[in-house]
Amino acid sequence: MKVSFDNEKSIYIQIAEAIKDDILKDIFEEETQIPSTTQMSVSYRINPATAAKGVNMLVDEGIIYKKRGIGMFVASGAKEDIRNSRKNEFFDKYIAAMIEEAQKLGISREDIIDMIKGGEKKHG
Amino acid sequence: MGNILEINNVSKTYGKTAALEAINVSFEEGKIYGLLGRNGAGKTTLLNLITNKFEATTGEILLGKESVWENPNAQSKICYMTEKNMFPKEFTVLQLLKSSFDFYENFDLEYALNLAEQFKLNIGKKFKTLSKGFESITKIIIALSTDCPLVLMDEPVLGLDAAVRDKFYRIFLDNFARKPRTFIISTHLIEEVSGIIEEAVIIDSGRLLLKKPVEEMLQMGYCVAGKSNNVDKYAEGRKVVHSEMVGNFKTITIYEPVSQRDNQTAASLDLEIVPVQLQKLFVHLTGD
Amino acid sequence: MNKIKNIVLYSFAGWRKSTLLLSAIIIAIGLLSKGLAVSFNGSRNMHSEFSGFEITLGIFIFVGFIACFKNNFNHLNIMGVTRKTFFKGHLLFIAAAAVSMLVLYGVLAGIYMLAGVKVQTLTSQVYWNVSFFHIIIFTLSLFILASTAGWLISLLCYKYGTPMIITLAVSPAILLMIIPILSNILHLGNALWAVINFYFALNSHSSLLASLNFASTAVVFAFCSWLLIRKLPVKV
């Protein structure tokens, strides 16, 4: 699990997002255990209550579930859920922002499309 | 969870000067608190009152339901890591650890020796010959090895370099996870502890200014940055507590929660909204 | 009470080194005085004599109690010991220290006598009809008086700081100057002597009366110490 904290968002949201990222990248597979809030607290030097708040957010979203006395596990179907919600965010987060930035810079629609094609080639 | 410590209307005056005035604050079980305040705000005075160093001029301090003043039962449940040295001059580190073992019930001597090794502390050395950093480490080890339900630490990382501070925070959080209890950490290094403490208690000129979870405190304000005339437009009619200008780029701190509408207004003026840092908020709150 | 036991043990620990040093010095002096007596007189039958044990040990206890207070009080406060518990522990320590010093006195006197130095007790020099029991009572009360006096002074110095230290340092000299003048002016000479005679029981030559006076003074000193310590702020 990798978190490099920035000041843009609350720490617990960043914890939740880092866990989601790792689920998407199959670092945490479905029905496997994720690190305890204690481990997260010590590794990232944060208050355990903050770590627990991040995890509880994911529990509420149905991405993580608790097994009493054992720990927290990734729910089956979690990866699909995360992917769907990220897709919904994709337009707001990237496309809308891109269009706005392009207007500032005076980049035309065609240029943007060309850039996307070029970028796709680079990344194979 | 219930309160472990209640401070009811406590004042402390020296002659005519008031060090603390009518403080009312309570601390819950199993939480890490940051006690923040500028130099001379009264942080150490409050810790000294809790630990029976002197008597409050008015008011009472309750641990559980018992007054802490001259109460052996209450005092045996509190461990205080002072900033100043209160130990006998001739004692070696090992003797200090052993005396803590003798006086605190359930002091974990094995754990203490283990920590000493982790911090590369030479336990055969006399305490008074230690460097500032190793003095702090010795006191940290004693505080973490007791199982007192209330642990007070006054400037715990004084004299520690960045690497040792990092180690301390990890060991501290590991200790807290193993033995959850109430910690009150008094410190000047606010940004460093802002992620570790759950609630902040701010004292200013002997008065309680604020007590809130850090998360909520950070929602109390926000910063707006962008082109200066746009920022000025945005600032109209708002509670601006600080502004900074570099060239034509201005950043202001607003002491109000940010709303959805604020976000839209800022976006329309091509301004960026960023969260406020605890340290900055603190400076504004306690500023002259 | 486990804590009180620990307070006594920790207080003793602070005295270990200086007590050993004092004993070594006393033994050395005893042997030296014997040696000198032998070499000057050329005969082992010439006696050397020593009678200063009570005063020497009494002064040692007095100074020791002045020195140990601050360290103990601060250390024990940080260990969560209250003033009341500290006071109880210290009272117990005074009793234990007095008995230990009495035992040390016996041991040192024994070593002197083995070396052939004659030991005189203060009790038998000043008072009449002195038995072994009288010596023990007198010496114990003297030691206890010395400890409570030292303790009271250290408390006053801790509480009031430098001004008190200076006052206490200067006051014996001033008193020695003022008392004769005052007694001359007010014709107190006889009364003063009467008080001194009574206190040390010099007229009646009863060691028990002197012991009783010492012990009562010690109780008064201990009570004053309690008044001072009851709410004493810890110097941090």
Side-chain angles (χ1 to χ4, degrees):
Chain A
M1 210 176 135
K2 192 178 134 231
V3 193
S4 48
F5 294 109
D6 57 38
N7 284 318
E8 301 283 314
K9 287 181 209 122
S10 296
I11 294 174
Y12 74 94
I13 293 176
Q14 296 183 53
I15 288 283
E17 284 182 358
I19 296 171
K20 283 186 187 170
D21 279 343
D22 284 356
I23 294 172
L24 278 180
K25 287 186 230 156
D26 288 329
I27 292 170
F28 300 142
E29 286 176 26
E30 290 176 4
E31 297 302 332
T32 63
Q33 197 171 357
I34 64 162
S36 68
T37 50
T38 306
Q39 284 169 311
M40 289 183 214
S41 152
V42 174
S43 311
Y44 305 121
R45 281 178 37 183
I46 55 169
N47 191 291
T50 314
K53 200 171 172 189
V55 170
N56 285 337
M57 212 171 93
L58 297 183
V59 172
D60 292 343
E61 289 175 25
I63 288 165
I64 299 285
Y65 67 95
K66 284 181 188 170
K67 270 193 197 167
R68 201 170 265 280
I70 302 175
M72 293 161 303
F73 289 75
V74 181
S76 49
K79 194 174 167 184
E80 195 54 37
D81 287 349
I82 297 168
R83 196 181 277 147
N84 287 337
S85 68
R86 288 265 171 111
K87 270 184 194 162
N88 293 336
E89 285 168 21
F90 187 77
F91 179 82
D92 289 341
K93 204 168 161 186
Y94 298 101
I95 306 296
M98 180 176 76
I99 292 168
E100 201 187 314
E101 181 72 6
Q103 276 168 356
K104 266 189 241 167
L105 299 176
I107 301 170
S108 72
R109 224 179 129 238
E110 286 69 32
D111 287 343
I112 295 174
I113 292 165
D114 283 347
M115 277 183 209
I116 293 170
K117 281 179 182 162
E120 276 172 347
K121 265 181 209 154
K122 255 187 217 163
H123 279 81
Chain B
M1 273 200 252
N3 287 339
I4 183 157
L5 185 71
E6 281 174 31
I7 293 168
N8 297 332
N9 203 29
V10 164
S11 303
K12 175 70 190 169
T13 48
Y14 296 103
K16 278 183 183 169
T17 46
L20 288 176
E21 277 178 82
I23 299 274
N24 279 296
V25 63
S26 54
F27 297 88
E28 276 174 57
E29 280 170 27
K31 276 192 180 178
I32 305 172
Y33 289 88
L35 181 60
L36 314 176
R38 298 172 58 168
N39 289 327
K43 305 186 295 280
T44 303
T45 303
L46 184 61
L47 297 181
N48 283 337
L49 286 173
I50 298 169
T51 54
N52 203 28
K53 300 281 172 291
F54 33 72
E55 202 178 9
T57 312
T58 61
E60 58 173 5
I61 299 176
L62 304 176
L63 186 89
K65 291 279 165 257
E66 299 173 37
S67 165
V68 297
W69 171 250
E70 279 295 276
N71 181 341
N73 183 37
Q75 290 302 327
S76 69
K77 289 178 181 151
I78 307 172
C79 180
Y80 180 23
M81 173 191 167
T82 51
E83 188 195 332
K84 293 232 175 79
N85 174 22
M86 302 273 290
F87 296 130
K89 291 190 184 87
E90 294 305 314
F91 273 41
T92 63
V93 174
L94 185 61
Q95 281 175 311
L96 285 178
L97 296 181
K98 281 195 174 147
S99 74
S100 309
F101 176 75
D102 286 335
F103 282 98
Y104 286 109
E105 257 175 75
N106 306 323
F107 183 88
D108 192 342
L109 191 58
E110 206 177 312
Y111 177 75
L113 293 172
N114 182 302
L115 285 187
E117 217 172 291
Q118 285 190 48
F119 280 112
K120 298 189 176 61
L121 170 65
N122 181 354
I123 53 170
K125 265 189 126 181
K126 280 191 179 168
F127 182 75
K128 65 171 179 184
T129 65
L130 296 176
S131 67
K132 194 84 209 161
F134 276 115
E135 269 185 22
S136 295
I137 288 172
T138 307
K139 292 189 272 188
I140 285 168
I141 291 175
I142 291 174
L144 292 183
S145 304
T146 64
D147 76 345
C148 298
L150 177 62
V151 181
L152 316 175
M153 296 175 136
D154 199 1
E155 296 293 353
V157 297
L158 206 69
L160 302 186
D161 65 41
V164 181
R165 287 212 296 273
D166 187 66
K167 195 179 217 167
F168 160 68
Y169 290 124
R170 285 170 205 277
I171 285 173
F172 169 71
L173 286 165
D174 173 67
N175 183 284
F176 178 70
R178 284 196 227 186
K179 289 188 260 181
R181 48 218 169 120
T182 306
F183 281 92
I184 301 177
I185 302 174
S186 160
T187 183
H188 287 101
L189 299 171
I190 294 168
E191 218 37 53
E192 214 170 281
V193 296
S194 69
I196 285 164
I197 60 178
E198 192 171 340
E199 283 195 36
V201 174
I202 302 182
I203 292 184
D204 192 36
S205 311
R207 291 170 185 276
L208 179 75
L209 195 68
L210 201 67
K211 177 189 179 253
K212 256 193 195 325
V214 174
E215 201 70 58
E216 276 178 39
M217 211 171 263
L218 295 175
Q219 309 292 320
M220 285 165 56
Y222 60 101
C223 297
V224 178
K227 226 171 124 187
S228 93
N229 54 354
N230 284 347
V231 171
D232 289 341
K233 253 182 236 160
Y234 183 87
E236 261 171 58
R238 291 175 201 272
K239 197 175 171 190
V240 178
V241 289
H242 183 73
S243 76
E244 237 174 53
M245 199 138 103
V246 183
N248 202 21
F249 184 83
K250 195 169 185 178
T251 309
I252 56 170
T253 305
I254 292 167
Y255 188 55
E256 278 162 3
V258 61
S259 70
Q260 196 57 44
R261 238 179 106 190
D262 294 332
N263 269 319
Q264 287 162 3
T265 317
S268 72
L269 287 166
D270 200 18
L271 300 175
E272 207 182 341
I273 287 191
V274 281
V276 68
Q277 282 184 311
L278 189 60
Q279 167 88 41
K280 281 197 179 140
L281 200 64
F282 171 81
V283 171
H284 299 320
L285 288 171
T286 61
D288 304 306
Chain C
M1 278 287 284
N2 206 20
K3 271 198 178 149
I4 291 184
K5 187 193 85 195
N6 279 328
I7 294 169
V8 175
L9 289 179
Y10 272 84
S11 305
F12 264 117
W15 285 61
R16 207 174 43 213
K17 264 189 204 160
S18 50
T19 310
L20 283 174
L21 189 68
L22 179 81
S23 311
I25 291 171
I26 290 179
I27 292 170
I29 290 174
L31 296 179
L32 200 67
S33 77
K34 180 66 189 171
L36 286 174
V38 170
S39 62
F40 274 105
N41 300 294
S43 156
R44 283 183 168 270
N45 293 328
M46 283 305 293
H47 75 281
S48 56
E49 200 179 288
F50 188 71
S51 60
F53 274 120
E54 291 94 341
I55 302 293
T56 312
L57 291 177
I59 291 174
F60 173 71
I61 293 170
F62 175 69
V63 175
F65 267 91
I66 291 181
C68 75
F69 176 75
K70 188 182 172 187
N71 256 350
N72 282 350
F73 187 59
N74 284 2
H75 181 216
L76 292 172
N77 175 275
I78 205 75
M79 292 292 150
V81 173
T82 60
R83 289 157 186 79
K84 198 172 180 183
T85 313
F86 176 77
F87 183 78
K88 283 185 201 161
H90 231 63
L91 283 186
L92 195 62
F93 174 58
I94 285 177
V99 171
S100 315
M101 281 296 156
L102 191 70
V103 171
L104 180 70
Y105 177 15
V107 171
L108 290 173
I111 292 174
Y112 268 44
M113 287 192 277
L114 277 180
V117 180
K118 209 179 161 202
V119 175
Q120 285 276 9
T121 64
L122 189 66
T123 332
S124 54
Q125 280 178 319
V126 179
Y127 304 103
W128 295 347
N129 299 325
V130 168
S131 70
F132 182 65
F133 168 74
H134 288 116
I135 295 175
I136 288 183
I137 293 296
F138 180 80
T139 314
L140 273 181
S141 47
L142 182 71
F143 286 174
I144 288 174
L145 175 64
S147 8
T148 49
W151 193 23
L152 183 60
I153 287 178
S154 67
L155 261 165
L156 285 169
C157 293
Y158 184 89
K159 183 162 187 180
Y160 299 106
T162 320
M164 181 55 80
I165 295 172
I166 294 170
T167 313
L168 288 172
V170 175
S171 55
I174 292 178
L175 283 177
L176 283 177
M177 284 193 291
I178 288 178
I179 289 177
I181 296 171
L182 274 184
S183 67
N184 268 341
I185 296 170
L186 302 170
H187 305 289
L188 285 175
N190 287 336
L192 206 65
W193 274 116
V195 169
I196 292 172
N197 279 338
F198 170 76
Y199 190 76
F200 293 100
L202 297 177
N203 285 338
S204 59
H205 296 277
S206 156
S207 71
L208 280 180
L209 182 60
S211 310
L212 186 68
N213 285 337
F214 292 173
S216 342
T217 318
V219 170
V220 172
F221 283 174
F223 182 69
C224 293
S225 300
W226 166 242
L227 292 183
L228 278 170
I229 213 170
R230 211 162 51 98
K231 293 191 168 185
L232 185 67
V234 176
K235 294 273 165 83
V236 279

